Amino acid sequence: MLHILELFKKNCIDKEKISIPPEGSEAPPAEEPTAQPMVQTTVIQNTSNQKALIQETFGYKCMWFALKNTDIDTILSNCSRLSNAKPTTWETGLQTAKDSPGKAFLSGAYESWTFLVGFGLCEPTETENFMTLMSEIGKCADEVCFFATHRVVELQCFAQSIHGKLNRYYCYCGESGHIYANIGDVTGAEKELSLNLPTNDDELFEEEFSDIDETDILLLAEKMSMNPELLIGMEEQRCVIADILHDQ
């Protein structure tokens, strides 16, 4: 079984290492403190109540849920895999989720879509566990979409649940040459993008079927929910960072 979570863990940024001088070497002499002129500083307060604008986003080499017509508190109270939620900013929370597979970033709503982002949210190639998670999260919103892409192993996955019912689930990995899931009818988004995806491994190399890549995942996200790249420049809404709990 392909373990996608392990690959996402490798994306995490290593903590900075502290440089220790070799044994026997002398530490550099401490610099003498110099007198600093007294400077009067003026604190300028932002009285406009203007929210910060989103400067970075997610999409490539990532996995996320998009939930329609819901809010952070509803998701936290219904999703048993999330705990210990704490307030954060968009930049800090998203970076924490990228650096730590055990963390998930949860945003406020943008054009009615709330985002749950994390490299360790689930194993999309494990179909039964994934469908269980989609069923649980599906209770939190009118509609739930899931997207995942990992260019190293050519993992491409998308799913959609409407009113708690799984409507579509497709998961393919180029490295293993295997379609892990092909459940549900072809969506309108696939038709609009002229994606004629293979339904089984025997069809993978037949010319009449489409190859799917990370760009297609972003285009599907735009058709089915919202392309996260379009979040750049929008005002930050309430955000939290939470721990991800996995079955033992």
Side-chain angles (χ1 to χ4, degrees), residues 115-187:
F115 296 96
L116 175 59
V117 187
F119 292 100
L121 286 170
C122 62
E123 185 73 59
T125 60
E126 295 181 356
T127 55
E128 290 188 8
N129 290 338
F130 178 78
M131 288 191 291
T132 299
L133 179 59
M134 279 292 289
S135 177
E136 179 177 315
I137 295 182
K139 299 175 183 177
C140 303
D142 293 342
E143 186 174 337
V144 176
C145 295
F146 171 82
F147 305 96
T149 174
H150 197 293
R151 64 183 58 159
V152 175
V153 295
E154 299 178 60
L155 172 80
Q156 318 298 342
C157 181
F158 64 96
Q160 181 186 55
S161 172
I162 300 177
H163 298 301
K165 180 181 179 181
L166 185 65
N167 182 54
R168 186 74 166 113
Y169 169 26
Y170 191 90
C171 185
Y172 163 72
C173 178
E175 184 179 73
S176 61
H178 182 56
I179 296 174
Y180 288 88
N182 177 43
I183 298 172
D185 296 330
V186 175
T187 63

Side-chain angles (χ1 to χ4, degrees), residues 70 72 90 105-110 113-115 237-240:
T70 188
I72 290 175
W90 178 280
F105 171 71
L106 187 56
S107 80
Y110 297 88
W113 292 97
T114 298
F115 296 96
Q237 305 299 324
R238 176 192 171 199
C239 304
V240 301

Side-chain angles (χ1 to χ4, degrees), residues 44-62:
I44 301 176
Q45 294 183 345
N46 182 359
T47 59
S48 65
N49 293 323
Q50 184 177 0
K51 296 181 179 179
L53 301 182
I54 295 174
Q55 301 296 325
E56 66 171 304
T57 186
F58 54 92
Y60 294 107
K61 214 171 181 181
C62 187

Side-chain angles (χ1 to χ4, degrees), residues 76 80-86 101-104 241-245:
L76 291 174
S80 61
R81 298 198 183 197
L82 300 178
S83 69
N84 194 30
K86 298 178 180 179
K103 298 288 186 179
I241 192 76
D243 294 334
I244 301 174
L245 302 178

Side-chain angles (χ1 to χ4, degrees), residues 208-223:
E208 62 183 288
F209 295 100
S210 308
D211 294 329
I212 184 170
D213 59 25
E214 58 187 2
T215 301
D216 293 320
I217 295 297
L218 269 294
L219 291 174
L220 284 167
E222 185 170 342
K223 297 289 186 182

